[in-house]
Amino acid sequence: MSQFDLPAVSRIQRECYSESILESVDSFSAKLSASPDFCFVAVQGQLVVGCVVSLPWIFGEIPKLDSAEYSVPPEADSLCIHDMAVTPSAREVGAAKHMLNTVLGTANHMGYKQVFLVAIQGAESYWMRHGFKVVPAGKSLKRELSAYGQEAVYMVKGED
């Protein structure tokens, strides 16, 4: 992913998510700048049809939603898949699976044995099919999850 791709990332987000959790182009730019090795796009022809935005982070915490500033914590012990979305028209061609395999392979190559995410809009069954497990959220994490919607679920894959 490059800064040039961010308008397409914003378009994909609008196609896939409810308005209450949409993030600004500035927020995606900040995440990409903080963690360019873990941000990817899927392209069909010349059209960006999917994106995955990830950052090294601390397990048990989550990056703030729609911030204009991000920096990788020095004590980051895991990779956080902050956002993965594919346009409805590209879901049947395996774009999501390819992006997930790419980000998981990169995480493993860079030494991150644990990957976590926040499943939104009922997506936890998708993530479970790919080996992620629900993590019970304590009071502090529940407060952070509330920004992602009532159905937000914290999930992890890898070392327990």
Side-chain angles (χ1 to χ4, degrees):
M1 181 184 295
S2 73
Q3 294 288 331
F4 178 76
D5 297 314
L6 295 180
V9 169
S10 182
R11 172 185 48 80
I12 292 165
Q13 186 186 54
R14 287 189 310 275
E15 287 184 41
C16 296
Y17 300 135
S18 63
E19 192 169 324
S20 63
I21 57 172
L22 294 180
E23 294 185 273
S24 67
V25 171
D26 288 344
S27 181
F28 281 111
S29 178
K31 287 187 266 301
L32 175 59
S33 294
S35 183
D37 293 338
F38 294 104
C39 298
F40 304 97
V41 292
V43 179
Q44 193 173 39
Q46 296 200 349
L47 182 65
V48 176
V49 295
C51 59
V52 60
V53 176
S54 306
L55 304 108
W57 213 256
I58 301 166
F59 180 71
E61 299 180 6
I62 51 176
K64 191 172 186 173
L65 192 64
D66 200 28
S67 177
E69 292 185 25
Y70 293 91
S71 58
V72 173
E75 64 276 16
D77 57 5
S78 304
L79 185 72
C80 172
I81 298 176
H82 179 74
D83 189 13
M84 189 171 93
V86 176
T87 61
S89 63
R91 290 184 183 151
E92 299 301 317
V93 297
K97 185 176 181 181
H98 181 70
M99 285 190 308
L100 180 59
N101 288 341
T102 300
V103 78
L104 292 176
T106 303
N108 188 49
H109 177 74
M110 300 287 253
Y112 294 103
K113 304 296 181 209
Q114 185 168 263
V115 178
F116 67 91
L117 54 86
V118 176
I120 58 170
Q121 299 180 177
E124 60 268 19
S125 61
Y126 171 84
W127 294 108
M128 285 178 177
R129 288 193 305 272
H130 294 283
F132 285 80
K133 297 176 185 171
V134 173
V135 175
K139 188 184 278 187
S140 175
L141 185 56
K142 279 184 183 177
R143 233 182 350 268
E144 291 179 46
L145 284 171
S146 67
Y148 289 78
Q150 284 188 320
E151 297 177 15
V153 177
Y154 198 79
M155 301 184 80
V156 67
K157 178 181 176 116
E159 298 175 351
D160 293 318

